[in-house]
Amino acid sequence: MKKRYLLGFGLLLLFNVKVQAQDQVINDIIKEARENSQLKVLGHELMDGIGPRLVGSPQMQKAHDWAVEKYKGWGIEARNEQWGEWRGWERGITHIDMTAPWTKSLAGTQLAWSPASPKGGAAGEVVILPMLEDAAAFEKWLPSVKGKYVMISAPQITGRPDYNWEEFATEESFAKMKEDRSAMNDAWNERLRNTGQGRRELPTALEDAGALGIITSYWSQGFGANKIFSASTKKVPTVDLSLEDYGLLFRLAESGQKPMINLNAQSKETGVTPTFNTIAEIKGTEKPDEYVMLSAHFDSWDGGTGATDNGTGTIMMMEVMRVLKEIYPNPKRTILVGHWGSEEQGLNGSRAFVEDHPEMMGKIQALFNQDNGTGRVANVSGQGFVDSYEYLGRWMSKVPRSITRDVETTFPGNPGGGGSDYASFVAAGVPAFSLSSLNWSYFNYTWHTNLDTYDKIVFDDVQNNVIMAAIMVYMASEEPEMVSREIRIPLDRNGNPTSWPAVRSPTRKGGMD
């Protein structure tokens, strides 16, 4: 009995020592993240210094090289892994001036991969896509666009977001506005259908007929916010105008006042460009061939500077790596971070990594991805992994309650089929989890818009996310064994059984069709 008692006491003492050591590491992680944060410096250098990171652009390559140098400066091994090629393009200036019936500089920008204007720009009348009876009438009208700019987006009946109407309008006025807006959108969609052209084919037909350029406006339902995507023209520029200025030109053209603009949109084709993922790692000591991964896409659209999509995810993961290197330099398992290229065109960088490293997929303990804005983590799903509640719950229990108290969890959840890079790994059977954040008006104001800039970052929230992710990575690394990968049969929205997402190959050559 005495020997058993001493043995039990010894095991208890050993356990307590281990727990105390673990708690000390966690306390040190929290202290380092809060007292020596590099988030603001990283955010400034990436968003303000380098700028937007459109795949194939010089800024994307500059960002990859910057990240590698940052990691090396922290004593962390890093490299750029090529996974494909993309159409190279560099944005230049966009100057848009209305010169008649009066003079005004307009707010707008060319879309990504837009062809350039002639040097110094080109002046021309602005016309509206008319309501035509059918495709034959469109073909007959088409020659009239030669030497003109053509507006092809629906006008907005109001420049006020719905929440502004809900606050100030009468119920009757708000209801009437929504009815009028719906009718206007339906009429415009009919106008588009009657051309016989698809939305991507219409600009091409107009440029082939001699149009000077295409004018669009993709309002994001928020004051001053427009979404900026890509052009489908090959010879003439496509520009997006603010709601206010698009509406001004539209009303002038509609009333027969023949507005004139001078458009000077400069850009440069840079040929076929290699595309990369940036990978950094802290080598494991006991199990170097098993991995815990951090994940965030590095690329962005380029209407703004990609601050909340996904600059905040990027600097968060970089800061997690910096903190762990400082506090936990000899992890049990190798800690990897992937900064993925071309997520915006279809998760291409992460899909390429999964495809190029099949030997690693069964050795990844867990992956944590962050993508949807600057807010603190608000939701974690088990992604269909049956036992995720047990291990994620244990790891999250070590995160300060002040950070996790408002996090909603869904277990076991359903596997994500897309949306962000964690889905590339889930499809391969990896326990990969999205650290989904509070939106801070993300979808209206910053997601793919001209307003996605440094000033929208909420650094206190990002810092909380750093602490949460760093502790969970530490716990996952220290886990004695690999966690369970047992999966459930996914259910569709109606509760019917469906299939696990399939692994998909990336687009390795993009933008060159």
Side-chain angles (χ1 to χ4, degrees), residues 196-510:
Q197 304 288 321
R199 290 181 181 271
R200 294 192 64 84
E201 290 73 30
L202 177 59
T204 302
L206 294 169
E207 70 175 348
D208 288 345
L212 283 179
I214 309 301
I215 303 176
T216 67
S217 184
Y218 189 169
W219 188 41
S220 190
Q221 311 299 314
F223 284 117
N226 273 36
K227 297 193 185 301
I228 308 297
F229 289 112
S230 58
S232 56
T233 48
K234 306 296 183 185
K235 295 177 288 190
V236 301
T238 301
V239 297
D240 181 276
L241 280 184
S242 69
L243 174 149
E244 293 79 8
D245 287 341
Y246 189 88
L248 169 65
L249 288 182
F250 194 98
R251 292 187 298 272
L252 288 170
E254 190 174 45
S255 64
Q257 297 193 53
K258 296 187 176 182
M260 298 284 294
I261 65 168
N262 188 79
L263 170 61
N264 185 10
Q266 296 303 314
S267 57
K268 183 167 62 176
E269 298 284 339
T270 58
V272 177
T273 302
T275 54
F276 299 91
N277 294 320
T278 296
I279 309 296
E281 65 178 289
I282 305 172
K283 200 71 174 176
T285 54
E286 295 182 34
K287 299 186 176 186
D289 295 328
E290 294 180 8
Y291 308 92
V292 182
M293 286 197 69
L294 295 160
S295 168
H297 75 85
F298 209 5
D299 65 308
S300 73
W301 286 104
D302 68 337
T305 55
T308 69
D309 186 19
N310 188 31
T312 45
T314 296
I315 64 173
M316 168 193 164
M317 297 307 177
M318 293 182 73
E319 177 75 347
V320 170
M321 290 292 283
R322 184 195 69 80
V323 169
L324 290 173
K325 179 64 176 177
E326 183 70 25
I327 304 302
Y328 182 55
N330 300 300
K332 183 181 225 177
R333 293 176 171 85
T334 296
I335 299 172
L336 277 180
V337 62
H339 298 288
W340 314 116
S342 190
E343 185 268 356
E344 297 293 3
Q345 289 72 40
L347 314 187
N348 291 310
S350 57
R351 283 176 174 164
F353 187 87
V354 170
E355 190 170 84
D356 294 344
H357 299 278
E359 77 288 352
M360 292 178 60
M361 295 304 109
K363 299 178 180 180
I364 298 174
Q365 173 81 299
L367 177 145
F368 304 101
N369 184 81
Q370 213 284 324
D371 182 12
N372 66 324
T374 188
R376 59 195 178 276
V377 174
N379 182 275
V380 177
S381 165
Q383 297 299 326
F385 291 93
V386 172
D387 298 308
S388 56
Y389 174 83
E390 190 276 327
Y391 54 83
L392 285 179
R394 280 191 292 106
W395 301 343
M396 287 178 65
S397 72
K398 295 294 185 177
V399 181
R401 182 62 180 158
S402 61
I403 293 175
T404 61
R405 65 190 176 199
D406 297 321
V407 177
E408 295 184 1
T409 55
T410 305
F411 294 109
N414 270 337
S420 192
D421 295 292
Y422 70 93
S424 301
F425 292 86
V426 168
V430 175
F433 307 102
S434 173
L435 303 179
S436 183
S437 66
L438 292 175
N439 74 66
W440 282 87
S441 299
Y442 176 70
F443 292 103
N444 293 95
Y445 281 102
T446 60
W447 181 59
H448 302 161
T449 77
N450 56 310
L451 301 184
D452 192 11
T453 47
Y454 178 95
D455 50 283
K456 308 306 185 307
I457 300 174
V458 182
F459 285 100
D460 287 346
D461 278 13
V462 181
Q463 185 179 96
N464 281 344
N465 295 346
V466 167
I467 293 169
M468 180 175 177
I471 291 173
M472 292 181 74
V473 168
Y474 166 64
M475 294 297 296
S477 176
E478 287 291 301
E479 188 78 15
E481 304 296 334
M482 293 289 284
V483 300
S484 166
R485 290 177 169 233
E486 183 181 350
I487 59 175
R488 69 177 291 189
I489 297 173
L491 303 176
D492 64 20
R493 292 180 179 179
N494 297 317
N496 299 314
T498 183
S499 57
W500 195 262
V503 174
R504 296 177 60 183
S505 291
T507 299
R508 300 271 186 175
K509 289 183 176 289

Side-chain angles (χ1 to χ4, degrees), residues 154-186:
Q156 295 295 326
I157 198 168
T158 177
R160 295 184 180 276
D162 280 5
Y163 67 78
N164 200 234
W165 279 82
E166 287 177 318
E167 182 177 1
F168 294 109
T170 64
E171 289 185 12
E172 296 80 7
S173 179
F174 188 27
K176 181 177 183 299
M177 183 279 291
K178 289 189 288 186
E179 290 176 2
D180 291 346
R181 182 173 62 191
S182 180
M184 178 179 285
N185 287 335
D186 289 346

